[in-house]
Amino acid sequence: MPADQTVSASHPSARRWRSLGIWSLVLALLIFTLSLVAAYRDLVRVNRLTSLSFGQQSYTLFKTSEELEHFWSSVSQYVQPESFQDSSRAEMLLSFELLVSRMALFEEGEANRVLLEIPAVRNIIQGLNGALADIEPRLAKLRPDPIDPNYSAIWNILRPYRQALFDISKDYLLQREVQGDRLLREFTATSSNWYLATPALSGLALLLLYFFQFRQTLRLAAFLQLESRQLRDSNRQLLQATDTLSYQATHDALTGLPNRLLLQDRLAHAISVAQRKGSRVAVIFLDLDRFKDVNDSLGHGAGDALLKIASTRLTASVREVDTVARISGDEFALVLEEIAGEDASVMEVAQRIATTLRSPCTIAGQELMITGSMGISLYPRDGGSVEQLLICADMAMYVAKDKGRNTVQPYRPEMNADHSQRLKLGQELRHALQREELELFYQPQVDLEQERIIGVEALLRWRHPQRGLVAPGDFIPLAEDTGLIVPIGEWVLTTACRQAMIWQELGLPPLKMAVNLSARQFQQPGLIDQVAGALTQTGLSAEYLDLELTESLLMRDVASAIEAMEALRTLGVRLSIDDFGTGYSSLSYLQRFPVSQLKIDGAFVRNLPAQSGAAAIVRAIIAMSKSLQLRVVAEGIETEEQLAFLRTHQCEQGQGYYFSRPLPADDITALLQRQARTARDDAETATRTDGIDKGHWDMGAAKNWSG
Ligand SMILES: Nc1nc2c(ncn2[C@@H]2O[C@H](COP(=O)(O)O[C@H]3[C@@H](O)[C@H](n4cnc5c(=O)[nH]c(N)nc54)O[C@@H]3COP(=O)(O)O)[C@@H](O)[C@H]2O)c(=O)[nH]1
């Protein structure tokens, strides 16, 4: 039955059937009541018939009339001298007594009381009673003599009653017979109909009632069946919804892998099995290398595709019993059960994972290589609980990330100390600014052709009261994570600009001041105001400020990066792409970035000139810069050979330990003053000799100075 036909109390057809049922019940009750009334009426009539059929009243009347006659005949006999005997008087008196007794029966007998309800009978009986009372004294005095006046008196008293009693008993009998016949006829005529009609009608009404009831029961059964089917359906849907919800609550929507919740559950189970069997469980935390760069440069669709490929490859690298879960953006965790040995066997799995991940894949038209940093913890060696094992694997993964890409790092107990040290360092860094523990070092940037310092790069140091000089690599990531990089970056900007002004005020030739901007700094909304504020506050002209942005930072969100760079350019500052060659930027991106300088990553320079790959990349970057009319700076120059290679290929500027390590401001002041002096001396010598200005700067002095 379709849902819209379901029987409900308010449904019109249900109401119709219910009212029919009620009416048939009312009809049945009516018939029953009528039957009762008819039965009662018949009972009364049967009673009356019975009373008639017994004929007791007729008998009484006849008997009274007979006894009256008998009394009169005994009186007549008594007064006849020829028939007189002694017994005649006694018989007369006895018949009188019998008559009196009979009369008393009218008053006492239940059945005869009906007779007294007939007025004619009542008059005769009452009259006869009075007559008998009159007769009694005369009877006592009556002599056996026909002329005795008592005899005639008795005769006169009795005479009217004798005839009347006889007549009325005859009439009564007759009347009773007629009435009895009539009643009997009526009774047989009507009662037979009623007795037939009553059960027939009641039966019909009951049949109707039963029919309505049966129909209603059928409909109710159908309704209940439908309801139960709907209930079963709802139940099934509810179960499905519960399953879906519990699946969603325990799985990652993108990859379909278990999420952190399910991972914890599986790990808890694996630990309890390992506890029983005395086996080992390994947890591997894996963070995809440079996932954010892919996501930002190729779009979120590409990022999602990469995550899906990574999850498929991870699942393929382990056994069915093992668990691969995605626990956050680009972080995966694996639970490997029943590990045979310790580190070696897990490392084997980790290497297999790394190899499987590494095979190239094409996403958004780009060939990419997926790598990850892995941290490993082992049950029971590194911890006995889910939380402990996850924390240990996480810590180890961070160490792996710090070591560089595509590395595997098993957990070591010392990492705990490193972790708490990191926490402590974070707290101390909060106070470093107020306590003036931060300091800027400056590394010269040299014009390779003229061998002159034309600029410096400001490099941050933390003069820690206990640890001594802390390198930025040890606290900048922490400052990034905690957000402290924003106030620190602001301080760096202002301090660097002020220092540049100090050197100008000392009469030194104006220098280009390069300041590094981290990702978080670059993305903060107040950056333009911050830079403008630093320039205004220190009075440095914007043309001397060079902001260095890493290639990977720019590639995260190209459109927003271009927008922010355009805004910075309106201030008049210059922009450089730092660590160039390590990111994914293509020529088309480069053309769109409003930069004036590329800095070749030190990793390529380090391998010059021996490594042909590095040499080719450096040559290509220099050529590309020239064609895009960008200045090119080589970082990390440490040797004469590297310098020679770069000069040969017309790299304009360089920076590195070969020239000078990063130095405190005062040391740079001395260096700059020496350079200025040398320049002056050279100029004077040139004027004195043939007037040629070689513009030479004594690099050897600088190298010696910086040690
Ligand atoms: N957001 C900010 N980042 C900053 C700031 N100050 C520094 N940094 C970044 O920290 C990273 C490490 O810096 P540092 O330890 O100072 O290392 C710099 C140089 O000392 C080093 N370098 C220079 N020449 C050589 C060399 O010949 N060999 C060699 N092995 N290392 C050398 O390179 C670092 C400078 O690199 P780069 O910035 O790419 O020019 C570093 O990434 C800094 O950017 C800051 O204030 N804010």
mmCIF file with all atom_site columns, all heavy atoms in Angstrom, residues 33 47 58 65 72 205 224 260 333 380 401-402 467 476 494 525 533 576 582 595 613 615 706:
data_model
loop_
_atom_site.group_PDB
_atom_site.id
_atom_site.type_symbol
_atom_site.label_atom_id
_atom_site.label_alt_id
_atom_site.label_comp_id
_atom_site.label_asym_id
_atom_site.label_entity_id
_atom_site.label_seq_id
_atom_site.pdbx_PDB_ins_code
_atom_site.Cartn_x
_atom_site.Cartn_y
_atom_site.Cartn_z
_atom_site.occupancy
_atom_site.B_iso_or_equiv
_atom_site.pdbx_formal_charge
_atom_site.auth_seq_id
_atom_site.auth_comp_id
_atom_site.auth_asym_id
_atom_site.auth_atom_id
_atom_site.pdbx_PDB_model_num
ATOM 1   N N   . THR A 1 33  ? -31.978 -4.882  22.709  1.00 0.00 ? 33  THR A N   1
ATOM 2   C CA  . THR A 1 33  ? -32.922 -4.274  23.656  1.00 0.00 ? 33  THR A CA  1
ATOM 3   C C   . THR A 1 33  ? -34.351 -4.642  23.266  1.00 0.00 ? 33  THR A C   1
ATOM 4   O O   . THR A 1 33  ? -35.161 -5.033  24.127  1.00 0.00 ? 33  THR A O   1
ATOM 5   C CB  . THR A 1 33  ? -32.773 -2.737  23.647  1.00 0.00 ? 33  THR A CB  1
ATOM 6   O OG1 . THR A 1 33  ? -31.399 -2.447  23.649  1.00 0.00 ? 33  THR A OG1 1
ATOM 7   C CG2 . THR A 1 33  ? -33.449 -2.081  24.822  1.00 0.00 ? 33  THR A CG2 1
ATOM 8   N N   . ASN A 1 47  ? -47.071 -16.061 31.405  1.00 0.00 ? 47  ASN A N   1
ATOM 9   C CA  . ASN A 1 47  ? -47.559 -16.156 32.789  1.00 0.00 ? 47  ASN A CA  1
ATOM 10  C C   . ASN A 1 47  ? -49.077 -16.133 32.810  1.00 0.00 ? 47  ASN A C   1
ATOM 11  O O   . ASN A 1 47  ? -49.716 -16.929 33.499  1.00 0.00 ? 47  ASN A O   1
ATOM 12  C CB  . ASN A 1 47  ? -47.035 -14.989 33.606  1.00 0.00 ? 47  ASN A CB  1
ATOM 13  C CG  . ASN A 1 47  ? -45.663 -15.340 34.198  1.00 0.00 ? 47  ASN A CG  1
ATOM 14  O OD1 . ASN A 1 47  ? -45.298 -16.506 34.198  1.00 0.00 ? 47  ASN A OD1 1
ATOM 15  N ND2 . ASN A 1 47  ? -44.934 -14.339 34.635  1.00 0.00 ? 47  ASN A ND2 1
ATOM 16  N N   . SER A 1 58  ? -61.112 -20.403 37.926  1.00 0.00 ? 58  SER A N   1
ATOM 17  C CA  . SER A 1 58  ? -62.403 -20.944 37.482  1.00 0.00 ? 58  SER A CA  1
ATOM 18  C C   . SER A 1 58  ? -62.862 -22.041 38.431  1.00 0.00 ? 58  SER A C   1
ATOM 19  O O   . SER A 1 58  ? -64.025 -22.102 38.850  1.00 0.00 ? 58  SER A O   1
ATOM 20  C CB  . SER A 1 58  ? -62.277 -21.533 36.075  1.00 0.00 ? 58  SER A CB  1
ATOM 21  O OG  . SER A 1 58  ? -61.652 -20.630 35.256  1.00 0.00 ? 58  SER A OG  1
ATOM 22  N N   . SER A 1 65  ? -69.352 -21.979 44.039  1.00 0.00 ? 65  SER A N   1
ATOM 23  C CA  . SER A 1 65  ? -70.751 -22.102 43.648  1.00 0.00 ? 65  SER A CA  1
ATOM 24  C C   . SER A 1 65  ? -71.281 -23.480 44.042  1.00 0.00 ? 65  SER A C   1
ATOM 25  O O   . SER A 1 65  ? -72.392 -23.603 44.590  1.00 0.00 ? 65  SER A O   1
ATOM 26  C CB  . SER A 1 65  ? -70.846 -21.887 42.125  1.00 0.00 ? 65  SER A CB  1
ATOM 27  O OG  . SER A 1 65  ? -72.101 -22.243 41.667  1.00 0.00 ? 65  SER A OG  1
ATOM 28  N N   . TRP A 1 72  ? -76.760 -25.172 50.544  1.00 0.00 ? 72  TRP A N   1
ATOM 29  C CA  . TRP A 1 72  ? -78.218 -24.955 50.456  1.00 0.00 ? 72  TRP A CA  1
ATOM 30  C C   . TRP A 1 72  ? -78.955 -26.298 50.465  1.00 0.00 ? 72  TRP A C   1
ATOM 31  O O   . TRP A 1 72  ? -79.965 -26.457 51.171  1.00 0.00 ? 72  TRP A O   1
ATOM 32  C CB  . TRP A 1 72  ? -78.564 -24.152 49.165  1.00 0.00 ? 72  TRP A CB  1
ATOM 33  C CG  . TRP A 1 72  ? -80.052 -23.969 49.008  1.00 0.00 ? 72  TRP A CG  1
ATOM 34  C CD1 . TRP A 1 72  ? -80.859 -24.478 48.074  1.00 0.00 ? 72  TRP A CD1 1
ATOM 35  C CD2 . TRP A 1 72  ? -80.871 -23.287 49.905  1.00 0.00 ? 72  TRP A CD2 1
ATOM 36  N NE1 . TRP A 1 72  ? -82.146 -24.127 48.262  1.00 0.00 ? 72  TRP A NE1 1
ATOM 37  C CE2 . TRP A 1 72  ? -82.175 -23.376 49.451  1.00 0.00 ? 72  TRP A CE2 1
ATOM 38  C CE3 . TRP A 1 72  ? -80.647 -22.563 51.128  1.00 0.00 ? 72  TRP A CE3 1
ATOM 39  C CZ2 . TRP A 1 72  ? -83.255 -22.792 50.104  1.00 0.00 ? 72  TRP A CZ2 1
ATOM 40  C CZ3 . TRP A 1 72  ? -81.759 -22.014 51.720  1.00 0.00 ? 72  TRP A CZ3 1
ATOM 41  C CH2 . TRP A 1 72  ? -83.004 -22.118 51.223  1.00 0.00 ? 72  TRP A CH2 1
ATOM 42  N N   . ALA A 1 205 ? -26.980 -8.096  12.361  1.00 0.00 ? 205 ALA A N   1
ATOM 43  C CA  . ALA A 1 205 ? -26.226 -6.944  12.897  1.00 0.00 ? 205 ALA A CA  1
ATOM 44  C C   . ALA A 1 205 ? -24.833 -7.375  13.324  1.00 0.00 ? 205 ALA A C   1
ATOM 45  O O   . ALA A 1 205 ? -23.842 -6.688  13.059  1.00 0.00 ? 205 ALA A O   1
ATOM 46  C CB  . ALA A 1 205 ? -26.973 -6.344  14.080  1.00 0.00 ? 205 ALA A CB  1
ATOM 47  N N   . LEU A 1 224 ? -0.256  -2.000  9.583   1.00 0.00 ? 224 LEU A N   1
ATOM 48  C CA  . LEU A 1 224 ? 0.854   -2.397  10.463  1.00 0.00 ? 224 LEU A CA  1
ATOM 49  C C   . LEU A 1 224 ? 2.008   -2.970  9.649   1.00 0.00 ? 224 LEU A C   1
ATOM 50  O O   . LEU A 1 224 ? 3.177   -2.718  9.948   1.00 0.00 ? 224 LEU A O   1
ATOM 51  C CB  . LEU A 1 224 ? 0.383   -3.426  11.488  1.00 0.00 ? 224 LEU A CB  1
ATOM 52  C CG  . LEU A 1 224 ? -0.458  -2.842  12.615  1.00 0.00 ? 224 LEU A CG  1
ATOM 53  C CD1 . LEU A 1 224 ? -0.947  -3.939  13.529  1.00 0.00 ? 224 LEU A CD1 1
ATOM 54  C CD2 . LEU A 1 224 ? 0.343   -1.816  13.414  1.00 0.00 ? 224 LEU A CD2 1
ATOM 55  N N   . ARG A 1 260 ? 43.310  10.284  11.982  1.00 0.00 ? 260 ARG A N   1
ATOM 56  C CA  . ARG A 1 260 ? 44.070  10.164  13.233  1.00 0.00 ? 260 ARG A CA  1
ATOM 57  C C   . ARG A 1 260 ? 43.317  9.316   14.258  1.00 0.00 ? 260 ARG A C   1
ATOM 58  O O   . ARG A 1 260 ? 43.914  8.495   14.963  1.00 0.00 ? 260 ARG A O   1
ATOM 59  C CB  . ARG A 1 260 ? 44.355  11.563  13.802  1.00 0.00 ? 260 ARG A CB  1
ATOM 60  C CG  . ARG A 1 260 ? 45.252  11.543  15.027  1.00 0.00 ? 260 ARG A CG  1
ATOM 61  C CD  . ARG A 1 260 ? 45.445  12.940  15.557  1.00 0.00 ? 260 ARG A CD  1
ATOM 62  N NE  . ARG A 1 260 ? 46.444  13.675  14.805  1.00 0.00 ? 260 ARG A NE  1
ATOM 63  C CZ  . ARG A 1 260 ? 47.740  13.680  15.116  1.00 0.00 ? 260 ARG A CZ  1
ATOM 64  N NH1 . ARG A 1 260 ? 48.184  12.968  16.128  1.00 0.00 ? 260 ARG A NH1 1
ATOM 65  N NH2 . ARG A 1 260 ? 48.584  14.386  14.399  1.00 0.00 ? 260 ARG A NH2 1
ATOM 66  N N   . ALA A 1 333 ? 50.677  8.806   8.634   1.00 0.00 ? 333 ALA A N   1
ATOM 67  C CA  . ALA A 1 333 ? 51.250  7.967   9.695   1.00 0.00 ? 333 ALA A CA  1
ATOM 68  C C   . ALA A 1 333 ? 50.978  6.518   9.342   1.00 0.00 ? 333 ALA A C   1
ATOM 69  O O   . ALA A 1 333 ? 49.903  6.187   8.829   1.00 0.00 ? 333 ALA A O   1
ATOM 70  C CB  . ALA A 1 333 ? 50.644  8.315   11.034  1.00 0.00 ? 333 ALA A CB  1
ATOM 71  N N   . PRO A 1 380 ? 58.098  -2.064  21.943  1.00 0.00 ? 380 PRO A N   1
ATOM 72  C CA  . PRO A 1 380 ? 57.962  -1.350  23.220  1.00 0.00 ? 380 PRO A CA  1
ATOM 73  C C   . PRO A 1 380 ? 59.154  -0.433  23.528  1.00 0.00 ? 380 PRO A C   1
ATOM 74  O O   . PRO A 1 380 ? 59.137  0.238   24.555  1.00 0.00 ? 380 PRO A O   1
ATOM 75  C CB  . PRO A 1 380 ? 57.889  -2.489  24.235  1.00 0.00 ? 380 PRO A CB  1
ATOM 76  C CG  . PRO A 1 380 ? 58.690  -3.582  23.629  1.00 0.00 ? 380 PRO A CG  1
ATOM 77  C CD  . PRO A 1 380 ? 58.621  -3.432  22.146  1.00 0.00 ? 380 PRO A CD  1
ATOM 78  N N   . LYS A 1 401 ? 63.091  16.259  9.097   1.00 0.00 ? 401 LYS A N   1
ATOM 79  C CA  . LYS A 1 401 ? 62.832  17.444  8.263   1.00 0.00 ? 401 LYS A CA  1
ATOM 80  C C   . LYS A 1 401 ? 63.970  18.447  8.389   1.00 0.00 ? 401 LYS A C   1
ATOM 81  O O   . LYS A 1 401 ? 64.403  19.048  7.405   1.00 0.00 ? 401 LYS A O   1
ATOM 82  C CB  . LYS A 1 401 ? 61.524  18.111  8.708   1.00 0.00 ? 401 LYS A CB  1
ATOM 83  C CG  . LYS A 1 401 ? 60.324  17.546  7.992   1.00 0.00 ? 401 LYS A CG  1
ATOM 84  C CD  . LYS A 1 401 ? 59.045  18.054  8.559   1.00 0.00 ? 401 LYS A CD  1
ATOM 85  C CE  . LYS A 1 401 ? 58.836  19.503  8.186   1.00 0.00 ? 401 LYS A CE  1
ATOM 86  N NZ  . LYS A 1 401 ? 57.415  19.832  8.080   1.00 0.00 ? 401 LYS A NZ  1
ATOM 87  N N   . ASP A 1 402 ? 64.456  18.604  9.634   1.00 0.00 ? 402 ASP A N   1
ATOM 88  C CA  . ASP A 1 402 ? 65.558  19.547  9.855   1.00 0.00 ? 402 ASP A CA  1
ATOM 89  C C   . ASP A 1 402 ? 66.814  19.122  9.112   1.00 0.00 ? 402 ASP A C   1
ATOM 90  O O   . ASP A 1 402 ? 67.606  19.946  8.677   1.00 0.00 ? 402 ASP A O   1
ATOM 91  C CB  . ASP A 1 402 ? 65.867  19.662  11.358  1.00 0.00 ? 402 ASP A CB  1
ATOM 92  C CG  . ASP A 1 402 ? 64.835  20.547  12.043  1.00 0.00 ? 402 ASP A CG  1
ATOM 93  O OD1 . ASP A 1 402 ? 64.049  21.191  11.324  1.00 0.00 ? 402 ASP A OD1 1
ATOM 94  O OD2 . ASP A 1 402 ? 64.815  20.575  13.292  1.00 0.00 ? 402 ASP A OD2 1
ATOM 95  N N   . ARG A 1 467 ? 73.839  30.402  25.872  1.00 0.00 ? 467 ARG A N   1
ATOM 96  C CA  . ARG A 1 467 ? 74.278  29.625  24.711  1.00 0.00 ? 467 ARG A CA  1
ATOM 97  C C   . ARG A 1 467 ? 75.286  30.358  23.833  1.00 0.00 ? 467 ARG A C   1
ATOM 98  O O   . ARG A 1 467 ? 75.826  29.786  22.902  1.00 0.00 ? 467 ARG A O   1
ATOM 99  C CB  . ARG A 1 467 ? 73.073  29.298  23.820  1.00 0.00 ? 467 ARG A CB  1
ATOM 100 C CG  . ARG A 1 467 ? 72.051  28.436  24.472  1.00 0.00 ? 467 ARG A CG  1
ATOM 101 C CD  . ARG A 1 467 ? 70.783  28.533  23.658  1.00 0.00 ? 467 ARG A CD  1
ATOM 102 N NE  . ARG A 1 467 ? 69.659  28.004  24.398  1.00 0.00 ? 467 ARG A NE  1
ATOM 103 C CZ  . ARG A 1 467 ? 69.070  26.844  24.143  1.00 0.00 ? 467 ARG A CZ  1
ATOM 104 N NH1 . ARG A 1 467 ? 69.486  26.124  23.149  1.00 0.00 ? 467 ARG A NH1 1
ATOM 105 N NH2 . ARG A 1 467 ? 68.066  26.434  24.864  1.00 0.00 ? 467 ARG A NH2 1
ATOM 106 N N   . ILE A 1 476 ? 65.027  31.043  13.686  1.00 0.00 ? 476 ILE A N   1
ATOM 107 C CA  . ILE A 1 476 ? 64.060  31.673  12.760  1.00 0.00 ? 476 ILE A CA  1
ATOM 108 C C   . ILE A 1 476 ? 62.846  30.757  12.527  1.00 0.00 ? 476 ILE A C   1
ATOM 109 O O   . ILE A 1 476 ? 61.699  31.225  12.601  1.00 0.00 ? 476 ILE A O   1
ATOM 110 C CB  . ILE A 1 476 ? 64.726  32.056  11.411  1.00 0.00 ? 476 ILE A CB  1
ATOM 111 C CG1 . ILE A 1 476 ? 65.726  33.202  11.624  1.00 0.00 ? 476 ILE A CG1 1
ATOM 112 C CG2 . ILE A 1 476 ? 63.704  32.411  10.341  1.00 0.00 ? 476 ILE A CG2 1
ATOM 113 C CD1 . ILE A 1 476 ? 65.180  34.598  11.559  1.00 0.00 ? 476 ILE A CD1 1
ATOM 114 N N   . THR A 1 494 ? 64.119  47.920  10.751  1.00 0.00 ? 494 THR A N   1
ATOM 115 C CA  . THR A 1 494 ? 64.458  49.253  11.272  1.00 0.00 ? 494 THR A CA  1
ATOM 116 C C   . THR A 1 494 ? 65.944  49.348  11.605  1.00 0.00 ? 494 THR A C   1
ATOM 117 O O   . THR A 1 494 ? 66.623  50.335  11.254  1.00 0.00 ? 494 THR A O   1
ATOM 118 C CB  . THR A 1 494 ? 63.604  49.540  12.530  1.00 0.00 ? 494 THR A CB  1
ATOM 119 O OG1 . THR A 1 494 ? 62.276  49.103  12.276  1.00 0.00 ? 494 THR A OG1 1
ATOM 120 C CG2 . THR A 1 494 ? 63.595  51.005  12.884  1.00 0.00 ? 494 THR A CG2 1
ATOM 121 N N   . PRO A 1 525 ? 49.535  41.266  6.618   1.00 0.00 ? 525 PRO A N   1
ATOM 122 C CA  . PRO A 1 525 ? 48.891  42.398  5.945   1.00 0.00 ? 525 PRO A CA  1
ATOM 123 C C   . PRO A 1 525 ? 49.611  43.736  6.167   1.00 0.00 ? 525 PRO A C   1
ATOM 124 O O   . PRO A 1 525 ? 49.592  44.592  5.304   1.00 0.00 ? 525 PRO A O   1
ATOM 125 C CB  . PRO A 1 525 ? 47.489  42.435  6.570   1.00 0.00 ? 525 PRO A CB  1
ATOM 126 C CG  . PRO A 1 525 ? 47.342  41.209  7.377   1.00 0.00 ? 525 PRO A CG  1
ATOM 127 C CD  . PRO A 1 525 ? 48.675  40.643  7.632   1.00 0.00 ? 525 PRO A CD  1
ATOM 128 N N   . GLY A 1 533 ? 57.352  52.432  7.342   1.00 0.00 ? 533 GLY A N   1
ATOM 129 C CA  . GLY A 1 533 ? 57.656  52.979  8.674   1.00 0.00 ? 533 GLY A CA  1
ATOM 130 C C   . GLY A 1 533 ? 59.148  52.967  8.944   1.00 0.00 ? 533 GLY A C   1
ATOM 131 O O   . GLY A 1 533 ? 59.717  53.942  9.457   1.00 0.00 ? 533 GLY A O   1
ATOM 132 N N   . SER A 1 576 ? 64.691  41.068  -4.443  1.00 0.00 ? 576 SER A N   1
ATOM 133 C CA  . SER A 1 576 ? 65.554  40.001  -4.974  1.00 0.00 ? 576 SER A CA  1
ATOM 134 C C   . SER A 1 576 ? 64.913  38.657  -4.719  1.00 0.00 ? 576 SER A C   1
ATOM 135 O O   . SER A 1 576 ? 64.212  38.472  -3.716  1.00 0.00 ? 576 SER A O   1
ATOM 136 C CB  . SER A 1 576 ? 66.898  39.983  -4.245  1.00 0.00 ? 576 SER A CB  1
ATOM 137 O OG  . SER A 1 576 ? 67.530  41.210  -4.376  1.00 0.00 ? 576 SER A OG  1
ATOM 138 N N   . THR A 1 582 ? 66.339  26.620  -6.557  1.00 0.00 ? 582 THR A N   1
ATOM 139 C CA  . THR A 1 582 ? 65.865  25.498  -5.731  1.00 0.00 ? 582 THR A CA  1
ATOM 140 C C   . THR A 1 582 ? 64.353  25.335  -5.818  1.00 0.00 ? 582 THR A C   1
ATOM 141 O O   . THR A 1 582 ? 63.806  24.312  -5.431  1.00 0.00 ? 582 THR A O   1
ATOM 142 C CB  . THR A 1 582 ? 66.243  25.721  -4.258  1.00 0.00 ? 582 THR A CB  1
ATOM 143 O OG1 . THR A 1 582 ? 65.751  27.017  -3.885  1.00 0.00 ? 582 THR A OG1 1
ATOM 144 C CG2 . THR A 1 582 ? 67.739  25.687  -4.061  1.00 0.00 ? 582 THR A CG2 1
ATOM 145 N N   . VAL A 1 595 ? 60.888  41.843  -9.889  1.00 0.00 ? 595 VAL A N   1
ATOM 146 C CA  . VAL A 1 595 ? 62.157  41.806  -9.126  1.00 0.00 ? 595 VAL A CA  1
ATOM 147 C C   . VAL A 1 595 ? 63.276  42.422  -9.970  1.00 0.00 ? 595 VAL A C   1
ATOM 148 O O   . VAL A 1 595 ? 63.178  42.496  -11.191 1.00 0.00 ? 595 VAL A O   1
ATOM 149 C CB  . VAL A 1 595 ? 62.540  40.362  -8.719  1.00 0.00 ? 595 VAL A CB  1
ATOM 150 C CG1 . VAL A 1 595 ? 61.577  39.821  -7.700  1.00 0.00 ? 595 VAL A CG1 1
ATOM 151 C CG2 . VAL A 1 595 ? 62.609  39.445  -9.921  1.00 0.00 ? 595 VAL A CG2 1
ATOM 152 N N   . GLY A 1 613 ? 76.711  19.503  -13.557 1.00 0.00 ? 613 GLY A N   1
ATOM 153 C CA  . GLY A 1 613 ? 75.291  19.848  -13.409 1.00 0.00 ? 613 GLY A CA  1
ATOM 154 C C   . GLY A 1 613 ? 75.149  21.230  -12.792 1.00 0.00 ? 613 GLY A C   1
ATOM 155 O O   . GLY A 1 613 ? 74.406  22.077  -13.294 1.00 0.00 ? 613 GLY A O   1
ATOM 156 N N   . ALA A 1 615 ? 77.379  23.558  -12.657 1.00 0.00 ? 615 ALA A N   1
ATOM 157 C CA  . ALA A 1 615 ? 77.937  24.567  -13.572 1.00 0.00 ? 615 ALA A CA  1
ATOM 158 C C   . ALA A 1 615 ? 76.901  24.939  -14.634 1.00 0.00 ? 615 ALA A C   1
ATOM 159 O O   . ALA A 1 615 ? 76.719  26.132  -14.941 1.00 0.00 ? 615 ALA A O   1
ATOM 160 C CB  . ALA A 1 615 ? 79.199  24.018  -14.223 1.00 0.00 ? 615 ALA A CB  1
ATOM 161 N N   . SER A 1 706 ? 88.153  38.990  8.273   1.00 0.00 ? 706 SER A N   1
ATOM 162 C CA  . SER A 1 706 ? 87.003  38.204  8.738   1.00 0.00 ? 706 SER A CA  1
ATOM 163 C C   . SER A 1 706 ? 87.407  36.821  9.212   1.00 0.00 ? 706 SER A C   1
ATOM 164 O O   . SER A 1 706 ? 86.633  36.101  9.809   1.00 0.00 ? 706 SER A O   1
ATOM 165 C CB  . SER A 1 706 ? 85.957  38.088  7.624   1.00 0.00 ? 706 SER A CB  1
ATOM 166 O OG  . SER A 1 706 ? 86.481  37.305  6.583   1.00 0.00 ? 706 SER A OG  1
#
